[in-house]
Amino acid sequence: MTQAGYKQFCPLSMAAELLCTRWTMVLLRELVAGSTRFNDLRRGVPKMSPTLLSQRLKDLEAGGIVERTEIATEKGVFEYRLTEAGRDLRPVVEAMGFWGQKWVEARLSLKNLDPSLLMWDMRRNLNPSPLPEGRTVIQFLYHDLPASKRSWWLIVEKQGEVDLCWYDPGVDVDLYVSTDLCTMTSIWMGLTTVHKERDKISLTGDLDVAGKMQIWLGLSPFAVMPKRVAA
């Protein structure tokens, strides 16, 4: 820890010394959400440098919030898991997220658009239950982004994992979703719906998958909190 600290005995100030450094709470959000490997954590905090991520993990480990263990089958590869103290932070992380959803103006949030973070969050919250048996491939095309960030693929196995690809996986696509990044982010945050934005979204492919998009898409875990400020 490099910050000077508050030099107060108050438990809140002591906790803030550990938890309120830059990126720490966002990193804890990823750990609470279930990411354990360094590269997966990086995908959840794409604008955080690998050096700073490594330092924050060391800080959390030193603070007894995270424990690092080597994967037995993969030499030199480690997992980062929350300790009991770390798991006890879940309601703190959730409370901050719900507060932000409730009180931070949407126009401020929507200034910080990030396709990689959006797609990563969508991947882990997607609900495969309304999708057909077997594999479903959904390609998102953000027409307002440069070519290098425009196309993303979600590969959904009905009884398995949901994979995210930022390059063409070379498989048949069941549904193409073409829209702009702000519209998709607004839907994901629960500020609007697929139906309300139908003039801004083009759905091409499997009609059944398209018709159930609002259901399988899932939403941000904070989307259930109604806004109390301008949306």
Side-chain angles (χ1 to χ4, degrees), residues 166-191:
W166 60 93
Y167 57 87
D168 191 341
V171 294
D172 292 337
V173 174
D174 298 288
L175 180 68
Y176 295 90
V177 180
S178 180
T179 185
D180 62 273
L181 183 58
C182 185
T183 295
M184 196 67 248
T185 303
S186 297
I187 293 171
W188 164 249
M189 292 177 62
L191 304 176

Side-chain angles (χ1 to χ4, degrees), residues 119 122 138-145 150-152 173 175-184 187 194 197-205 210 213 216:
M119 295 305 301
M122 286 168 56
I138 305 160
Q139 182 178 355
F140 286 79
L141 302 103
Y142 297 112
H143 52 68
D144 58 324
L145 297 185
R150 186 173 301 155
S151 296
W152 304 79
V173 174
L175 180 68
Y176 295 90
V177 180
S178 180
T179 185
D180 62 273
L181 183 58
C182 185
T183 295
M184 196 67 248
I187 293 171
V194 173
E197 302 300 331
R198 60 188 180 276
D199 292 338
K200 296 181 180 179
I201 303 175
S202 173
L203 302 176
T204 306
M213 180 175 172
W216 57 253

Side-chain angles (χ1 to χ4, degrees), residues 81-92:
R81 295 189 180 276
L82 294 169
T83 62
E84 180 182 2
R87 293 190 296 273
D88 216 25
L89 284 168
R90 175 183 289 272
V92 178

Side-chain angles (χ1 to χ4, degrees), residues 79-229:
E79 286 189 325
Y80 299 87
R81 295 189 180 276
L82 294 169
T83 62
E84 180 182 2
R87 293 190 296 273
D88 216 25
L89 284 168
R90 175 183 289 272
V92 178
V93 173
E94 291 176 343
M96 288 187 67
F98 284 125
W99 184 91
Q101 177 77 2
K102 184 176 182 179
W103 293 111
V104 176
E105 291 185 22
R107 63 181 180 83
L108 298 178
S109 296
L110 294 174
K111 286 182 178 180
N112 301 308
L113 299 176
D114 186 331
S116 56
L117 177 58
L118 173 65
M119 295 305 301
W120 183 246
D121 275 346
M122 286 168 56
R123 177 205 65 86
R124 65 182 168 201
N125 288 278
L126 188 141
N127 172 20
S129 61
L131 295 175
E133 293 298 326
R135 183 178 68 188
T136 302
V137 180
I138 305 160
Q139 182 178 355
F140 286 79
L141 302 103
Y142 297 112
H143 52 68
D144 58 324
L145 297 185
S148 61
K149 297 182 178 180
R150 186 173 301 155
S151 296
W152 304 79
W153 289 261
L154 289 174
I155 303 176
V156 186
E157 297 289 347
K158 184 66 176 280
Q159 305 300 331
E161 295 292 325
V162 179
D163 289 330
L164 171 64
C165 296
W166 60 93
Y167 57 87
D168 191 341
V171 294
D172 292 337
V173 174
D174 298 288
L175 180 68
Y176 295 90
V177 180
S178 180
T179 185
D180 62 273
L181 183 58
C182 185
T183 295
M184 196 67 248
T185 303
S186 297
I187 293 171
W188 164 249
M189 292 177 62
L191 304 176
T192 185
T193 65
V194 173
H195 179 71
K196 289 179 180 178
E197 302 300 331
R198 60 188 180 276
D199 292 338
K200 296 181 180 179
I201 303 175
S202 173
L203 302 176
T204 306
D206 190 306
L207 295 179
D208 186 56
V209 176
K212 296 177 180 176
M213 180 175 172
Q214 187 70 53
I215 303 173
W216 57 253
L217 180 65
L219 294 177
S220 161
F222 304 119
V224 295
M225 176 62 70
K227 281 285 186 189
R228 289 291 300 275
V229 292

Side-chain angles (χ1 to χ4, degrees), residues 36-38 66-71 77-81:
T36 60
R37 297 197 180 193
F38 191 87
V66 165
E67 57 183 1
R68 185 182 74 151
T69 56
E70 186 172 14
I71 299 174
V77 179
F78 295 87
E79 286 189 325
Y80 299 87
R81 295 189 180 276

